[in-house]
Amino acid sequence: MTKAREIMTSDPECVRTSDTVLDAAKRMAELQVGAMPICGEDNRLKGMLTDRDIVVKVLAEGKDPRALSVGELAQGEAVTIGADDDAEEILRTMSSHKVRRLPVIDGHDLVGIVAQADVARALTDPQVGDLVQALSTD
């Protein structure tokens, strides 16, 4: 069975809790990614920042992305997957939490990001359909 470490994007860059939302958005644009892990000054995962978060929680609410820190958008504990968890466990976690990207943890270290497309390539066709359906419905 395919493991997270086999399908993830390794060594993801983090945005820091102290970074401004504007700086994080610029970094996301440079990397051409729609989400980045939020890491504290202690290098521990604090959450995920998505382009949707920036639009809905900052711009749509009239907040200044130059004055707002990324840490202010981190909400609770991030949903993660273990590096040795298999694709079916990733599928279950994504489906139950309605997320399209999961940070991959090995011990306490962030080692990668696994995206919906990564999982889709590792699963059979019926499982892919189940994943897409689970993430597309409310």
Side-chain angles (χ1 to χ4, degrees):
M1 181 61 61
T2 305
K3 305 287 184 195
R5 71 173 70 248
E6 298 172 79
I7 62 172
M8 69 185 186
T9 300
S10 299
D11 301 321
E13 287 193 35
C14 288
V15 292
R16 298 284 170 201
T17 53
S18 59
D19 291 344
T20 68
V21 172
L22 180 61
D23 288 338
K26 288 178 179 180
R27 190 68 189 133
M28 291 168 70
E30 288 170 11
L31 296 172
Q32 298 181 13
V33 297
M36 288 186 75
I38 301 170
C39 296
E41 302 310 315
D42 59 358
N43 287 326
R44 297 284 179 149
L45 182 67
K46 304 296 182 190
M48 289 289 289
L49 177 67
T50 66
D51 47 10
R52 186 174 193 283
D53 292 332
I54 294 169
V55 171
V56 173
K57 297 176 183 174
V58 180
L59 301 178
E61 291 184 8
K63 296 177 182 172
D64 184 353
R66 294 170 298 203
L68 189 67
S69 74
V70 170
E72 293 177 68
L73 297 179
Q75 296 179 343
E77 193 170 321
V79 177
T80 63
I81 198 77
D84 291 318
D85 288 341
D86 63 36
E88 288 188 3
E89 178 61 25
I90 299 167
L91 169 69
R92 282 191 294 276
T93 303
M94 285 182 162
S95 297
S96 67
H97 293 278
K98 302 256 189 216
V99 295
R100 291 178 168 82
R101 300 168 193 95
L102 286 170
V104 181
I105 303 296
D106 192 1
H108 293 288
D109 298 325
L110 175 67
V111 295
I113 299 286
V114 68
Q116 178 181 359
D118 300 324
V119 180
R121 285 189 289 271
L123 298 172
T124 64
D125 287 341
Q127 291 172 309
V128 171
D130 292 344
L131 174 63
V132 171
Q133 181 180 10
L135 294 178
S136 298
T137 58
D138 288 335

